[in-house]
Amino acid sequence: MTIIAVSMLNKAKFLQGYIVNFRFNFLSKEPHSSYNILDISYSDAIHLKPMIKSFRHGGIERFFRKGSKAGIQPKHAEKLRRQLFALDNAKLPQDMNAPGWRLHQLRGELSGHWSVDVSGNWRLTFAFDGNDAILVDYQDYH
């Protein structure tokens, strides 16, 4: 039997809801028959769990969950949005090693934590517990 996928609907909503919907319809061509839609068509939803598990900074958590800029520097919003999206999808600290972000591991009191540059003295810091980001913070290093 030959199966041909004829349509796939992929709707993604990131940073709010974490749901990706896939819909597949298949056509089959049985020997000596015309193309028919199979009964094996299905629609499935994949619920992606957020990878950021905890925050230390309330403003960055509100920005991540609701888009509120009240607790962050508004001029940092676009870069923080990209960084939080990347962090939410990262499985390892090295996944945050994008050009210009200057990923580095912290020492001292924050040993085991990582940092990426936001702007000037501002940093986004985080740690990993397995594949999940934890203790996400937004700090002004003086």
Side-chain angles (χ1 to χ4, degrees):
M1 173 191 329
T2 305
I3 297 179
I4 303 168
V6 290
S7 73
M8 178 175 149
L9 176 61
N10 179 358
K11 295 180 182 176
K13 187 175 182 185
F14 293 102
L15 300 179
Q16 295 178 3
Y18 306 95
I19 297 174
V20 181
N21 291 315
F22 295 95
R23 185 178 186 91
F24 298 93
N25 291 315
F26 296 95
L27 291 178
S28 72
K29 174 134 174 116
E30 293 294 331
H32 312 294
S33 70
S34 59
Y35 285 101
N36 296 309
I37 294 180
L38 288 176
D39 293 335
I40 310 173
S41 63
Y42 65 94
S43 176
D44 197 11
I46 300 170
H47 300 277
L48 304 173
K49 65 179 175 120
M51 300 302 289
I52 297 176
K53 295 295 183 186
S54 66
F55 291 85
R56 294 177 94 175
H57 188 281
I60 201 74
E61 182 175 11
R62 279 189 304 279
F63 178 68
F64 176 72
R65 298 196 189 287
K66 297 180 181 181
S68 171
K69 297 178 189 173
I72 66 166
Q73 297 287 321
K75 63 185 176 186
H76 297 163
E78 286 309 310
K79 189 166 188 181
L80 282 169
R81 188 179 328 277
R82 289 189 305 271
Q83 289 176 330
L84 289 167
F85 177 80
L87 184 58
D88 193 44
N89 289 287
K91 294 185 189 244
L92 300 168
Q94 292 76 11
D95 293 340
M96 294 296 292
N97 196 17
W101 290 5
R102 212 174 64 81
L103 173 71
H104 59 282
Q105 192 167 17
L106 301 176
R107 298 183 184 127
E109 283 183 24
L110 293 176
S111 180
H113 289 240
W114 295 79
S115 175
V116 290
D117 288 357
V118 177
S119 179
N121 292 332
W122 288 92
R123 306 288 182 268
L124 187 69
T125 63
F126 51 89
F128 269 81
D129 179 21
N131 289 336
D132 300 323
I134 59 171
L135 304 172
V136 178
D137 204 352
Y138 174 59
Q139 302 178 31
D140 182 7
Y141 288 1
H142 285 109

Coordinates of all heavy atoms in Angstrom, one line a residue, residues 31 49 65 70 90-91 113 115 125 136 142:
P31 N -3.7 -1.6 -4.7 CA -3.5 -2.1 -6.1 C -4.9 -2.2 -6.7 O -5.9 -2.6 -6.1 CB -3.0 -3.5 -5.9 CG -2.3 -3.4 -4.5 CD -3.1 -2.4 -3.7
K49 N 5.7 21.0 27.6 CA 5.8 21.6 28.9 C 6.9 22.7 28.9 O 7.9 22.6 28.2 CB 6.2 20.5 30.0 CG 7.5 19.9 29.8 CD 7.8 18.8 30.8 CE 9.1 18.2 30.5 NZ 10.1 18.3 31.4
R65 N 5.5 35.3 31.4 CA 4.2 34.7 31.4 C 3.1 35.6 30.8 O 2.2 35.1 30.2 CB 3.8 34.3 32.8 CG 4.7 33.2 33.4 CD 4.2 32.6 34.6 NE 5.1 31.7 35.3 CZ 5.6 30.6 34.9 NH1 5.2 30.1 33.8 NH2 6.5 29.9 35.6
A70 N 6.5 45.8 33.3 CA 6.5 46.6 34.5 C 7.8 46.3 35.3 O 8.3 47.2 36.0 CB 5.3 46.3 35.3
A90 N 15.7 25.4 25.7 CA 17.1 24.8 25.9 C 17.0 23.6 26.8 O 16.2 23.5 27.7 CB 18.0 25.9 26.6
K91 N 17.9 22.7 26.5 CA 18.0 21.4 27.3 C 19.3 21.4 28.0 O 19.5 20.7 29.0 CB 17.9 20.2 26.4 CG 16.5 20.1 25.8 CD 16.3 18.8 25.0 CE 15.0 18.8 24.3 NZ 14.1 17.9 24.7
H113 N 25.6 28.4 38.3 CA 24.6 29.2 37.5 C 25.4 29.7 36.2 O 26.6 29.7 36.2 CB 24.2 30.4 38.3 CG 23.3 30.1 39.4 ND1 22.0 30.6 39.5 CD2 23.4 29.2 40.5 CE1 21.4 30.1 40.6 NE2 22.3 29.3 41.2
S115 N 25.2 32.7 32.9 CA 24.8 34.1 32.6 C 24.9 34.4 31.1 O 25.8 33.9 30.5 CB 25.7 35.1 33.4 OG 25.4 36.4 33.1
T125 N 20.4 35.5 34.4 CA 21.2 34.3 35.0 C 20.2 33.2 35.2 O 19.0 33.4 35.4 CB 21.9 34.8 36.3 OG1 20.9 35.1 37.3 CG2 22.9 35.9 36.1
V136 N 15.7 31.6 37.3 CA 16.0 32.6 36.3 C 15.9 33.9 37.0 O 14.9 34.3 37.6 CB 15.0 32.5 35.1 CG1 15.2 33.5 34.1 CG2 15.1 31.1 34.5
H142 N 26.8 45.7 39.0 CA 27.5 47.0 39.1 C 29.0 46.8 39.2 O 29.5 45.9 39.8 CB 27.0 47.8 40.3 CG 25.6 48.4 40.1 ND1 24.5 47.9 40.7 CD2 25.2 49.4 39.3 CE1 23.5 48.6 40.3 NE2 23.9 49.5 39.4

